[in-house]
Amino acid sequence: MATEYGQGYGYPSGPGFHEAGAEERRHRLPTPLRAPIEARSWREFGYVMSGLPVGILMFTFAVTMFSLGMGLLITFLGIPVLAAALAGVLGFGALERARARGLLGIEVAAPKPLRVRKHGALAWMGAILKNGSAWRHLLYSVVQFPWSVFSFVVALSFWAYGWAMLTYPLWFWLFPVYGGQGGLQLYGDGMHRIYLDNPFEITVTALLGLLITMATPWIVRALTTVDRVMVAGLLGPSRLASRVVELESDRGVVVDTAAADLRRIERDLHDGAQARLVNLAMGLGLAKEKLTEDPQAAARMVDEAHGEVKTALQELRDLARGIHPAVLTDRGLDAALSSVASRCTVPVQVDVDLPARPAPAIEGIAYFTVSELLQNISKHARATRATVDVWRVENRLMLQVVDDGVGGADVSGGSGLAGLAERLDAVDGVLVVDSPVGGPSRVTAELPWRG
């Protein structure tokens, strides 16, 4: 594997250290005090504020067009009206995804385009009426409106009251000067009136406003969490479509990996055992010619050929072990991983606790995953010891490789770990790397269990 442990991961002498220091200085203000003035909080507040007018427009269009279309279904005109309604809410869905992307920072993929198998308006109307994504957009246009009213009222009330009370010491003088009263009226009836007009009451009002102002961003964030769920669940691709795309991507990874393995095997055979066998055939041919003329030279050639045979056999064994080791087929993961660990440059403790053997395909992937991780430790980790643990949790096969090396491994760096993560993802597996600079490194792989 090509991963370089401990290389380029932000030591204090690098430029990343200065950036981290600047970030720390910028964030020296505590989070509760920083939240009301953060750009993220204002973007989320802007999303809630803009949600009401957009919601009114979407709700009005959706309800009007849907009701009109359903009412006209008794005639043929209802079908094109319903199709136009669904086309319109699809357009509003694109607007909502753009608004969520710009203000909430979430990326929601657009649903798959319509598949119209024939040309013509009737084919298009039939395709859009059978499109599940369009009906989810219609549902979003209806349910988003009452939620936008609620979130608009809550967010605006907390924001307005919080900032008004926080800044009350700056503008309370308007009441005695222009209003003819001591300050903001807190209570009043025919007999008594209470005004916030002395320094203590003004200070308490400002402190209460500070608490409301600090709480407002988190309240708005909770409101926008519901918006995130609705946008992702109703305006994005369906789970089935997303799963199909994921499986297509995984199939491509599997095909590419298989092709790369075939090229590697072909190259190893051509450059290794095949070349040696060609030399062996030539050497034996020369020895045959010299057998009668110079028996001693022929004997030396036969000895050299014997050495070449041994080397070629060893290379073929190594190649076969790289394809699928016989010990894995015969004795399972425990023996196979122990064999791999014995070839590692550091002492490795192997602990395999499985109630039964998994399916051969999963067993092979687990073997090669641990093999590549141990090879990585041998080449780059500069460790003194390592451990390999394999166990089963419900319907998942868990692998964990730990070493006490220098750390710094990163799966997102385009390294061998990234390729390993792609291979595991192709079979619904997961690779998690915890490798801080200075170590230790802990790599956990999770595979589906199939018996």
Side-chain angles (χ1 to χ4, degrees):
M1 295 173 67
T3 308
E4 291 292 341
Y5 279 70
Q7 185 176 12
Y9 291 97
Y11 288 103
S13 59
F17 175 74
H18 303 290
E19 295 173 3
E23 188 74 14
E24 183 179 355
R25 287 193 296 272
R26 287 198 301 267
H27 289 177
R28 192 167 291 173
L29 198 65
T31 301
L33 295 177
R34 190 174 69 243
I37 57 175
E38 276 187 330
R40 175 184 176 182
S41 299
W42 286 98
R43 287 196 301 269
E44 291 174 338
F45 182 73
Y47 182 87
V48 173
M49 293 297 101
S50 62
L52 181 59
V54 174
I56 293 173
L57 184 61
M58 288 194 304
F59 182 83
T60 303
F61 175 84
V63 172
T64 302
M65 293 294 290
F66 181 75
S67 302
L68 181 61
M70 293 299 293
L72 291 175
L73 274 182
I74 194 172
T75 67
F76 179 76
L77 293 177
I79 295 178
V81 172
L82 281 178
L86 295 178
V89 295
L90 285 174
F92 282 120
L95 171 64
E96 283 294 272
R97 287 192 297 272
R99 196 166 66 93
R101 180 170 57 250
L103 296 177
L104 298 183
I106 59 172
E107 281 288 345
V108 178
K112 282 190 173 183
L114 289 176
R115 286 189 175 183
V116 183
R117 301 184 182 277
K118 299 180 181 180
H119 297 288
L122 289 178
W124 177 82
M125 286 187 289
I128 198 170
L129 288 173
K130 291 186 292 185
N131 185 266
S133 178
W135 289 101
R136 291 200 310 274
H137 280 63
L138 180 67
L139 177 62
Y140 175 86
S141 300
V142 174
V143 301
Q144 191 270 349
F145 171 66
W147 173 252
S148 66
V149 173
F150 173 79
S151 57
F152 181 91
V153 172
V154 172
L156 184 60
S157 299
F158 273 90
W159 182 88
Y161 279 108
W163 283 101
M165 295 172 68
L166 177 62
T167 59
Y168 184 63
L170 302 178
W171 56 272
F172 83 98
W173 57 270
L174 293 172
F175 290 96
V177 173
Y178 297 103
Q181 61 188 43
L184 186 68
Q185 183 174 333
L186 184 63
Y187 172 78
D189 56 21
M191 303 291 296
H192 303 88
R193 289 183 177 86
I194 300 176
Y195 298 102
L196 302 175
D197 54 0
N198 61 59
F200 174 76
E201 293 172 346
I202 293 173
T203 302
V204 171
T205 301
L207 291 177
L208 184 59
L210 177 62
L211 293 177
I212 296 176
T213 301
M214 289 191 299
T216 299
W218 307 106
I219 295 173
V220 173
R221 194 156 300 170
L223 295 173
T224 55
T225 299
V226 179
D227 289 291
R228 288 182 171 93
V229 173
M230 288 197 302
V231 171
L234 296 177
L235 301 184
S238 65
R239 291 185 178 181
L240 178 60
S242 301
R243 182 59 175 165
V244 169
V245 172
E246 181 183 353
L247 291 176
E248 289 176 350
S249 175
D250 291 345
R251 181 183 62 184
V253 172
V254 171
V255 171
D256 293 342
T257 301
D261 289 339
L262 287 175
R263 288 193 299 269
R264 176 183 60 82
I265 294 170
E266 181 182 7
R267 184 178 61 251
D268 291 344
L269 284 173
H270 183 272
D271 298 340
Q274 181 179 347
R276 292 190 180 277
L277 291 175
V278 170
N279 292 332
L280 174 62
M282 294 174 61
L284 289 176
L286 293 174
K288 181 180 179 181
E289 292 178 358
K290 290 184 175 291
L291 186 60
T292 56
E293 299 176 1
D294 190 354
Q296 294 181 351
R300 287 196 301 270
M301 290 181 179
V302 171
D303 289 336
E304 293 175 359
H306 185 254
E308 288 289 325
V309 169
K310 290 182 178 179
T311 305
L313 287 174
Q314 183 61 41
E315 289 181 353
L316 289 174
R317 289 193 192 99
D318 294 339
L319 183 61
R321 187 184 295 116
I323 299 173
H324 196 86
V327 65
L328 178 63
T329 304
D330 297 338
R331 301 175 57 190
L333 269 177
D334 195 354
L337 295 182
S338 298
S339 176
V340 173
S342 66
R343 299 194 297 271
C344 189
T345 58
V346 300
V348 180
Q349 179 182 349
V350 179
D351 184 11
V352 178
D353 182 14
L354 296 177
R357 293 183 63 173
I362 299 300
E363 195 174 51
I365 294 173
Y367 170 82
F368 287 111
T369 299
V370 175
S371 178
E372 290 193 36
L373 292 175
L374 291 181
Q375 185 180 4
N376 205 31
I377 293 174
S378 299
K379 291 182 178 180
H380 308 294
R382 298 202 293 274
T384 59
R385 60 185 178 85
T387 60
V388 175
D389 293 298
V390 182
W391 71 99
R392 178 184 176 182
V393 177
E394 295 180 354
N395 62 341
R396 308 294 286 181
L397 175 63
M398 308 296 297
L399 315 170
Q400 190 172 83
V401 179
V402 182
D403 69 81
D404 61 352
V406 296
D410 186 5
V411 73
S412 62
S415 62
L417 284 178
L420 190 58
E422 289 181 356
R423 293 190 181 190
L424 293 179
D425 184 64
V427 292
D428 286 340
V430 179
L431 185 74
V432 179
V433 178
D434 179 18
S435 180
V437 175
S441 296
R442 183 185 305 272
V443 181
T444 305
E446 182 179 332
L447 289 166
W449 176 274
R450 292 198 292 269

